[in-house]
Amino acid sequence: MLLTGLLALGVTTGVFISLSILLLVAERYMANYGTCVISVNEGSSVFELQGGGTLLAALYENKVFIPSACGGKGSCGYCKATVLNGGGPILPTETPYMSRTELRGGVRLTCQVKIKENIEIRLPEELLSVKEYKGRVSLVRSLTYDIKEINMDLIDPEEINHRPGQYVQILAPGPDGPVFRAYSISSPSYEKNYVQLIVRLVPGGIASTYIHNLKEGDEVIFTGPFGEFHLSEDAATEVVCVGGGAGMAPISNIVHSIYHRWPERKCHLFFGCRTTKDIFYLDMFEQLAKEHPGFKVTYALSDPLESDEKWDGDTGFIHLSVEKRLTSEHKRQAFMCGPPPMIEAATEILKSKGIWEEDIFYDKF
Amino acid sequence: MAIISIEDLLNRAREFEERLEKYYASIRDESQDNGVRLLTYYLSRHRRHLEEALSDYSPEELSRIGRVKLKYDIEFYPEKVFHLMKTPPQEVKGRELLEAAVGYDTELVDLYKKILQQPLSTEAAVLIESLIRLEERDIIMLKKMIAMNYF
């Protein structure tokens, strides 16, 4: 009886697997979608290509670079575009990443859209100016036991224009082919000839392992800049930065960009670490605070100190330092980067201090 | 106990989430790991997300949807997937908490999908679909946190 059951199960599974393989082979070799036309932003970019691939790959091949951090697997939700015509119905793999408004508005994940017909899409204009860069590693420096700072001099093009808080996507070799991963630019926006990253080594992480193994002289490909952080041009607007771990990258960029342009502007940096081993850049920011009286810096340690350690900064969660030290004032913008629990806790406190939700920008991670 | 209406479903989910919140609070009181304690604040917000999704509907709409009867009963025992609640709060690790939360969300998604297979009013189906998206988004964020090895 058991043997018959197992046999039936085996045969059924075999039939399903065979059918799946047959469908994949048929799709690969027999389906011919012919030449399809992709039109971006009412014809501002138009290209023809052989159908069958994904919209994300087609855009990349034609130098239209949009954010994508999972290599087209539909697991990051970044590669959104509004599909006006063609593209077929939205797939169940896309809906978790969409709001109701996006669903109604025809927003799709381009990695999930297969090109079988002419497609017309709309992208934010800003994305059309994103470029692919080749850089050469000029500096690799350990900041902590698991965080490195990497500088890449630009080779082609030789300059990059970016806003404080924006990010690039590094092309890293993965076991199933190249993948892109997003990293915030930590070098200030006035530095146009190189890009600096601050990268935490994630155990088993494809891109962070690749970056941590880079040596001076290695060449790196990346696209960018991307990102929605908008630092107010109004010097009277105080800036609050909250970060933790590798979340320092966009914050370092913002702080240095501010004091290069507005030496008198007010800015308060809050940075959370678990232990003294996670601290970096504190001396540099304390020096900056001496040079610019409008700048305040607060580091907090969330884990208890070892018996032989000394620390005269804050202790506890960083959002509690924000609550304790930030007074309620008007005209503030906040920028945050770190783990989601930190961002959520700090957001509540910033709102309670009178900062409007639209003036709070964050990168979770 | 089987679920026989949408109102049953929402009440059972709320009831379990209240128990979860109490468990998270006990971890905050007893754990020595500050990362884990911070994580419990984040996970406790899950119930608020559910309430926010429901706040798109007026009380009349919710009451109407709640009265929708399921054609076939559905079993829902979330405690089966949340084995962790048997672990003493001071011993719980961050990764275990995240994995348990993913398990619970996945169970909810499966449950909602089973309900969607039944004949429902359009209004009720739209609500259930939005709850599925909510849970799937949460799963993505939790899995990212696991992958980043923060806790």
Side-chain angles (χ1 to χ4, degrees), chain B residues 74-124:
Chain B
I74 286 182
E75 300 294 320
F76 179 48
Y77 296 107
E79 43 281 280
K80 274 188 191 168
V81 293
F82 226 98
H83 314 286
L84 204 62
M85 286 174 80
K86 291 171 192 155
T87 307
Q90 65 274 20
E91 291 173 17
V92 173
K93 303 275 183 290
R95 193 183 180 92
E96 291 172 334
L97 263 181
L98 287 167
E99 284 170 351
V102 169
Y104 173 57
D105 284 350
T106 308
E107 180 76 2
L108 279 179
V109 169
D110 290 346
L111 172 77
Y112 294 149
K113 284 185 175 169
K114 278 183 202 157
I115 291 174
L116 265 189
Q117 286 166 359
Q118 301 203 21
L120 291 176
S121 65
T122 311
E123 202 175 31

Side-chain angles (χ1 to χ4, degrees), chain A residues 26-86:
Chain A
E27 174 84 11
R28 175 79 177 77
Y29 294 103
M30 294 167 70
N32 181 2
Y33 302 108
T35 303
C36 302
V37 178
I38 309 296
S39 170
V40 183
N41 290 11
E42 294 166 349
S44 68
S45 176
V46 179
F47 43 88
E48 284 187 4
L49 73 168
Q50 193 63 33
T54 68
L55 182 55
L56 177 66
L59 291 169
Y60 182 78
E61 280 162 23
N62 288 278
K63 306 288 179 198
V64 178
F65 304 110
I66 62 174
S68 164
C70 67
K73 292 193 175 76
S75 60
C76 73
Y78 289 175
C79 61
K80 289 178 181 175
T82 304
V83 176
L84 304 170
N85 273 309

Side-chain angles (χ1 to χ4, degrees), chain A residues 76 78 95-98 100 103 200 202-203 274 302-303 317 319 339-342 344-345 348 364-365, chain B residues 33-35 37-39 42 45 48-49 56-57 126 133 136-137 140-141 144-145 147-151:
Chain A
C76 73
Y78 289 175
T95 52
Y97 300 94
M98 305 293 174
R100 268 181 168 187
L103 286 172
R200 175 176 162 265
V202 177
R274 292 190 80 153
S302 61
D303 281 1
F317 298 132
H319 64 273
M342 185 208 85
E344 288 221 0
E348 291 300 314
K364 289 181 177 174
F365 299 105
Chain B
D33 185 330
N34 277 331
R37 293 177 58 229
L38 180 60
L39 186 57
Y42 177 80
R45 286 159 200 265
R48 201 199 297 176
H49 291 166
D56 288 345
Y57 297 85
V126 168
R133 281 201 304 281
E136 286 181 332
R137 270 201 293 271
I140 290 162
M141 195 49 86
K144 274 186 181 173
M145 280 197 271
M148 292 298 284
N149 204 33
Y150 271 122
F151 299 99

Side-chain angles (χ1 to χ4, degrees), chain A residues 255-328:
Chain A
V255 170
H256 286 102
S257 300
I258 285 175
Y259 288 107
H260 182 76
R261 186 160 168 205
W262 298 285
E264 310 298 325
R265 193 163 175 174
K266 283 187 175 178
C267 174
H268 198 145
L269 160 62
F270 294 90
F271 193 67
C273 304
R274 292 190 80 153
T275 69
T276 52
K277 295 180 188 72
D278 301 303
I279 295 172
F280 61 96
Y281 284 178
L282 178 56
D283 293 345
M284 177 180 76
F285 285 125
E286 283 179 341
Q287 181 58 39
L288 195 71
K290 282 179 191 163
E291 293 163 14
H292 302 276
F295 180 53
K296 289 181 190 162
V297 55
T298 302
Y299 274 47
L301 298 182
S302 61
D303 281 1
L305 290 173
E306 299 289 332
S307 55
D308 57 341
E309 287 180 324
K310 280 188 179 171
W311 174 250
D312 55 6
D314 281 10
T315 53
F317 298 132
I318 193 63
H319 64 273
L320 299 177
S321 291
V322 178
E323 183 167 42
K324 188 170 73 179
R325 293 179 181 274
L326 209 62
T327 52
S328 294

Side-chain angles (χ1 to χ4, degrees), chain A residues 26-238:
Chain A
E27 174 84 11
R28 175 79 177 77
Y29 294 103
M30 294 167 70
N32 181 2
Y33 302 108
T35 303
C36 302
V37 178
I38 309 296
S39 170
V40 183
N41 290 11
E42 294 166 349
S44 68
S45 176
V46 179
F47 43 88
E48 284 187 4
L49 73 168
Q50 193 63 33
T54 68
L55 182 55
L56 177 66
L59 291 169
Y60 182 78
E61 280 162 23
N62 288 278
K63 306 288 179 198
V64 178
F65 304 110
I66 62 174
S68 164
C70 67
K73 292 193 175 76
S75 60
C76 73
Y78 289 175
C79 61
K80 289 178 181 175
T82 304
V83 176
L84 304 170
N85 273 309
I90 192 160
L91 304 177
T93 45
E94 300 172 66
T95 52
Y97 300 94
M98 305 293 174
S99 66
R100 268 181 168 187
T101 317
E102 286 173 329
L103 286 172
R104 285 197 207 106
V107 176
R108 302 284 308 270
L109 294 184
T110 56
C111 69
Q112 301 297 299
V113 177
K114 196 159 188 182
I115 302 170
K116 298 178 179 176
E117 58 190 329
N118 296 345
I119 297 178
E120 201 181 321
I121 65 168
R122 192 171 59 231
L123 291 170
E125 281 297 325
E126 203 177 51
L127 285 181
L128 298 182
S129 59
V130 168
K131 293 176 187 163
E132 186 174 67
Y133 292 84
K134 186 192 277 183
R136 184 175 291 117
V137 177
S138 56
L139 175 80
V140 179
R141 183 165 74 112
S142 289
L143 298 176
T144 70
Y145 59 95
D146 66 348
I147 294 180
K148 279 188 179 179
E149 177 192 87
I150 296 101
N151 285 11
M152 298 175 295
D153 290 342
L154 299 181
I155 303 170
D156 182 24
E158 291 178 345
E159 282 198 356
I160 185 168
N161 289 308
H162 62 94
R163 292 194 311 271
Q166 286 196 297
Y167 65 92
V168 292
Q169 296 210 135
I170 301 282
L171 183 69
D176 304 320
V179 293
F180 278 103
R181 289 288 186 273
Y183 290 96
S184 293
I185 304 171
S186 58
S187 44
S189 53
Y190 55 85
E191 295 288 2
K192 308 222 180 272
N193 301 116
Y194 78 97
V195 163
Q196 184 186 71
L197 308 177
I198 294 172
V199 178
R200 175 176 162 265
L201 180 65
V202 177
I206 294 171
S208 69
T209 305
Y210 163 71
I211 295 172
H212 269 241
N213 287 328
L214 286 171
K215 304 277 182 296
E216 286 176 24
D218 288 347
E219 287 190 357
V220 181
I221 302 288
F222 60 91
T223 57
F226 302 98
E228 300 298 320
F229 280 23
H230 286 277
L231 178 64
S232 168
E233 293 283 309
D234 176 9
T237 301
E238 186 180 338

